[in-house]
Amino acid sequence: MQIREATPDDLGPVTEICDASGRTRWTSEMIASGNDRIVLVAVAQGEIVGVAKTHHHPVPGGSSPAGHYLGGVVVAPEFRRQGIGSALTRGRLDWIWSYASAAYYFTNENNTASIRMHEALSFRPIARFPEIRGVTADDGRSDLILFGTHR
């Protein structure tokens, strides 16, 4: 498996992964890396099987700190539970470590697969909120857990 930076040509395969996963389609803007963020894809057997991004929030937002955040990660259903999400997350963290000594991520309190994966990568819970940076979980019926880690 190869982890590499996404290109505009990756939009078609990323759209297919989102559709197969029942997730909202990513746009060309969402797969574009920039000076303050990176988007990575996982390639296995010659095809894109996963995608993941980061976000940089230069100022605190409510109770959440300023900094680099892991954003969405989507892995094709037939390739899940094979370490692809972890590989994409390690790649994003490697990129973040070249800019900062802390990284953050948040998820729905019921997303146990994501929580376990990130805890295995040294993320620890910081706080629980009904909303983080304009995002709610389950239409406000669940909390979001904010996690952090340090290099």
Side-chain angles (χ1 to χ4, degrees):
M1 177 181 50
Q2 175 194 18
I3 303 296
R4 64 165 174 78
E5 192 168 342
T7 69
D9 292 338
D10 296 331
L11 184 58
V14 168
T15 297
E16 291 174 12
I17 292 169
C18 291
D19 289 349
S21 301
R23 302 281 295 273
T24 301
R25 289 180 172 185
W26 289 24
T27 64
S28 57
E29 292 81 18
M30 292 171 74
I31 68 163
S33 294
N35 292 337
D36 61 351
R37 60 179 254 133
I38 193 162
V39 182
L40 300 175
V41 294
V43 180
Q45 302 167 8
E47 69 177 286
I48 294 173
V49 298
V51 61
K53 61 187 173 179
T54 66
H55 301 282
H56 180 246
H57 298 289
V59 297
S63 299
S64 61
H68 288 274
Y69 283 70
L70 299 177
V73 59
V74 186
V75 175
E78 63 272 23
F79 286 90
R80 291 184 184 154
R81 307 291 187 264
Q82 298 178 34
I84 294 169
S86 293
L88 286 163
T89 299
R90 282 190 302 274
R92 291 180 293 164
L93 286 171
D94 287 345
W95 183 86
I96 288 172
W97 298 149
S98 66
Y99 295 93
S101 60
Y104 304 97
Y105 122 94
F106 57 87
T107 192
N108 182 319
E109 65 186 338
N110 300 312
N111 191 343
T112 56
S114 178
I115 292 169
R116 285 186 189 130
M117 180 188 78
H118 286 84
E119 285 179 339
L121 295 169
S122 299
F123 279 84
R124 298 294 175 252
I126 296 173
R128 298 170 72 99
F129 301 105
E131 178 268 332
I132 298 175
R133 297 197 170 271
V135 176
T136 61
D138 300 325
D139 295 322
R141 294 186 306 274
S142 298
D143 279 342
L144 293 168
I145 304 174
L146 175 66
F147 290 80
T149 192
H150 293 84
R151 179 171 24 158

